[in-house]
Amino acid sequence: MSTALLTPTLTPVSPGPAVRHPDILVNDSILIPGWVCDQNSYRRWAHSNDYPKSGWVSYLDGAIYIDLNMEELFTHNQVKQAFNVAIGMLLLQTKAGRFVPDRMLFSNFAAGLTTEPDGLYARWTTMQSGLLQFTAGKTGGYVELEGTPDMILEIVSQPSEAKDTVRLRGLYEKARIPEYWLVDARKDAIQFEILRLKDDNYQSVPKEHGWVRSDVFGCDFQLTRDIDPLGQPLFVVNVK
């Protein structure tokens, strides 16, 4: 098993003696301790030395999602890199906020969510207001972001399709993140949506000639795919 969504061990914890469940071993590589039974205990595990050093593990409102698949180069890794480059260059000019690439733990308690998105962005004013805060690690530095960023990015892969398009979409809505950028580059026609929060639900922003508007950044974005000299896909995110 390379992808799993586990729910049986996650009974909500009420005040009183600590709840203990059987340990769960996933694919002989990830051991979920029996004391992990809610979001707070999951976060304690995530901050410990026993947390998995590889794979993608998330707490999704009462369930633990595990993906042990390796990241695909041309439909995931390089797509993500194109956004990292474009947004990084844009912020060098605007100096409007901070973009955080993948592999950073992010939690929102209202949504019961702890995960590692492919990227997230927050304006300086958002962080100054306390809507998004840094959590320090046990040995120094910061290892987690808590709260509500202005934008979050997910690149769809084969094992994560249902998680990204359904489960995370609902949880990011519940977390009231203003924009959810959802990208799927697995097919000939690239799908790049900016989902904007209106009231309590995301609505897809209409495209104009292949460009889509971000209110968060105040710019239009376009994802294109070309061919490099080796005949492989080359992704570029254009901004105007």
Side-chain angles (χ1 to χ4, degrees):
M1 177 172 59
S2 56
T3 305
L5 187 62
L6 307 173
T7 57
T9 66
L10 299 176
T11 305
V13 176
S14 58
V19 176
R20 175 87 194 192
H21 302 279
D23 295 345
I24 295 180
L25 181 63
V26 180
N27 216 34
D28 288 329
S29 60
I30 291 181
L31 180 68
I32 304 174
W35 52 265
V36 175
C37 52
D38 61 3
Q39 187 177 11
N40 284 330
S41 57
Y42 178 90
R43 291 176 61 247
R44 289 197 300 273
W45 178 44
H47 284 246
S48 74
N49 293 330
D50 296 327
Y51 195 66
K53 301 300 187 293
S54 61
W56 283 262
V57 187
S58 303
Y59 181 89
L60 306 179
D61 192 24
I64 293 179
Y65 174 90
I66 299 171
D67 182 1
L68 298 178
N69 292 277
M70 297 183 70
E71 186 173 270
E72 205 285 320
L73 179 61
F74 294 117
T75 61
H76 196 280
N77 178 275
Q78 293 297 285
V79 181
K80 184 169 53 181
Q81 174 65 3
F83 281 94
N84 292 348
V85 170
I87 295 174
M89 294 297 294
L90 175 63
L91 293 180
L92 285 176
Q93 300 171 15
T94 65
K95 298 178 172 59
R98 184 180 296 278
F99 181 72
V100 181
D102 68 332
R103 308 310 300 187
M104 175 56 63
L105 199 66
F106 162 69
S107 290
N108 181 281
F109 298 116
L113 170 68
T114 298
T115 189
E116 295 179 7
D118 286 320
L120 63 80
Y121 167 74
R123 300 182 180 101
W124 300 124
T125 53
T126 297
M127 291 181 280
Q128 289 166 342
S129 72
L131 281 174
L132 188 69
Q133 302 179 15
F134 305 121
T135 299
K138 293 181 179 179
T139 59
Y142 296 100
V143 297
E144 183 182 11
L145 300 175
E146 298 177 27
T148 303
D150 295 295
M151 164 271 200
I152 206 153
L153 168 71
E154 296 289 358
I155 313 297
V156 177
S157 61
Q158 197 65 32
S160 75
E161 182 171 358
K163 180 190 76 166
D164 294 337
T165 60
V166 179
R167 199 172 187 96
L168 279 178
R169 176 172 176 157
L171 292 175
Y172 290 154
E173 283 177 338
K174 193 173 181 180
R176 303 203 60 79
I177 299 172
E179 288 186 358
Y180 178 24
W181 293 22
L182 187 60
V183 183
D184 189 345
R186 295 174 296 166
K187 299 178 181 179
D188 290 340
I190 300 174
Q191 297 180 27
F192 168 35
E193 286 187 285
I194 292 181
L195 302 169
R196 185 177 297 154
L197 192 67
K198 184 175 182 180
D199 297 325
D200 295 326
N201 300 294
Y202 280 129
Q203 295 185 6
S204 184
V205 178
K207 287 188 174 67
E208 292 187 12
H209 307 292
W211 293 82
V212 60
R213 182 75 177 178
S214 167
D215 282 351
V216 165
F217 288 97
C219 299
D220 295 338
F221 291 82
Q222 179 190 61
L223 175 62
T224 62
R225 177 173 49 206
D226 205 341
I227 300 297
D228 70 15
L230 301 179
Q232 301 290 356
L234 180 64
F235 292 93
V236 176
V237 174
N238 300 303
V239 185
K240 69 175 183 178

